[in-house]
Amino acid sequence: MLDEDGIARAQYATLDPLSVRIETHRRYSARPDDIEASVDEAVVLRDTADLLDIGCGTGSYLRRLAASGHAGRLVGVDASPAAIAALDGVPGVTAVGADAQELPFEDATFDVVTLRHMLYHVPDPGRALREARRVLRPGGTVAALVNLEHTTPLLHEASRRPLAAFGVRRPEFWLKVHSGNLPGLVGDVFGNARVHRHDNELVFDSPGPVAAYAVSCLTGYGITADDPRRDAMVAAIEAYAVALFDEESPRRDPKGYVIVTAHRP
Ligand SMILES: C[S@@+](CC[C@H](N)C(=O)[O-])C[C@H]1O[C@@H](n2cnc3c(N)ncnc32)[C@H](O)[C@@H]1O
């Protein structure tokens, strides 16, 4: 069983679980919702902007901007070597392994800094936002994206409840930064903040994708691939998901996120 530090490292050692979660949202959202396009819209992205994406994950955001002919610099930062490797050789994109709390860039280097679905992993989110401010040029824009405070209750319960039977509890950091406190965190660092809210829901008509999502969260609970209880946990998650659909189908799960933008004065 991993502690919080170990979870942070192990969770993105491979990007497969993250890809399962991204794909679940892509396939089962009631309304199409292109999160990456929503970020571009929120920051009013010019194609000449020098952009830093902190916690770049699979790299799809930067890859897509590069493919669209973005003329400004595109730089990704991530603490996971797998995320840096995912951008290896992508033309027009530089990927740097680093911690969001200590960025290896000069002051005033970028026009736009994005922190998408990542601040809740950072031990000191305020420090990461101060670093984002430091590397922004005056007049530059930050965009931080996190989930609504009570997003996807059905998916959360599909891992939380079966794992509780094994005495495994949801780590606190899952709930650390959300729509309720992000505007204040950004406002404290930048002196301004604007909230762009996106509501949607997931619709499932079978237990398979619910169970797959819940299983993809196991490392986030500190359960590694070689944990002797893992097979039993997966079986418990699958049984829980099947029971959900025995009760009712389809299942709808409300969800959403906020993008909080701010300008560096
Ligand atoms: C939930 S994923 C989001 C990835 C991507 N931004 C997206 O929205 O698809 C979180 C990412 O943040 C990275 N991360 C976590 N803590 C970090 C830190 N302190 N510094 C830099 N990256 C970090 C993880 O390695 C992972 O790639």
Side-chain angles (χ1 to χ4, degrees), residues 161-256:
R161 290 187 63 162
L163 295 181
F166 292 83
V168 174
R169 290 183 41 218
R170 187 160 67 175
E172 288 297 313
F173 71 77
W174 279 36
L175 307 168
K176 197 164 77 179
V177 185
H178 49 69
S179 55
N181 59 9
L182 181 63
L185 285 168
V186 172
D188 282 350
V189 173
F190 286 85
N192 65 94
R194 181 166 169 219
V195 179
H196 313 248
R197 179 176 169 139
H198 296 257
D199 288 276
N200 205 333
E201 61 180 348
L202 294 163
V203 184
F204 299 106
D205 60 13
S206 65
V210 173
Y213 189 102
V215 169
S216 84
C217 296
L218 278 173
T219 327
Y221 278 85
I223 306 301
T224 51
D226 59 358
D227 191 307
R229 300 165 300 170
R230 196 176 187 281
D231 288 350
M233 289 174 175
V234 171
I237 286 171
E238 287 170 352
Y240 178 88
V242 167
L244 277 180
F245 286 82
D246 285 345
E247 273 172 27
E248 183 185 324
S249 184
R251 284 279 179 171
R252 309 182 87 84
D253 202 13
K255 66 162 184 168

Side-chain angles (χ1 to χ4, degrees), residues 12 18 22 55-57 78-80 98-100 116-118 120-122:
Y12 301 101
L18 173 61
I22 291 172
C56 51
D78 205 288
S80 154
D99 187 326
R116 301 170 303 110
H117 279 310
M118 67 82 60
Y120 38 79
H121 289 305
V122 179

Side-chain angles (χ1 to χ4, degrees), residues 141-179:
T141 307
V142 69
L145 187 157
V146 293
N147 285 326
L148 298 184
E149 190 168 359
H150 301 294
T151 196
T152 61
L154 180 125
L155 287 181
H156 281 305
E157 290 297 273
S159 52
R160 192 191 67 78
R161 290 187 63 162
L163 295 181
F166 292 83
V168 174
R169 290 183 41 218
R170 187 160 67 175
E172 288 297 313
F173 71 77
W174 279 36
L175 307 168
K176 197 164 77 179
V177 185
H178 49 69
S179 55

Side-chain angles (χ1 to χ4, degrees), residues 33-44:
D33 183 15
D34 185 336
I35 298 183
E36 295 173 354
S38 300
V39 171
D40 294 349
E41 206 174 295
V43 299
V44 195

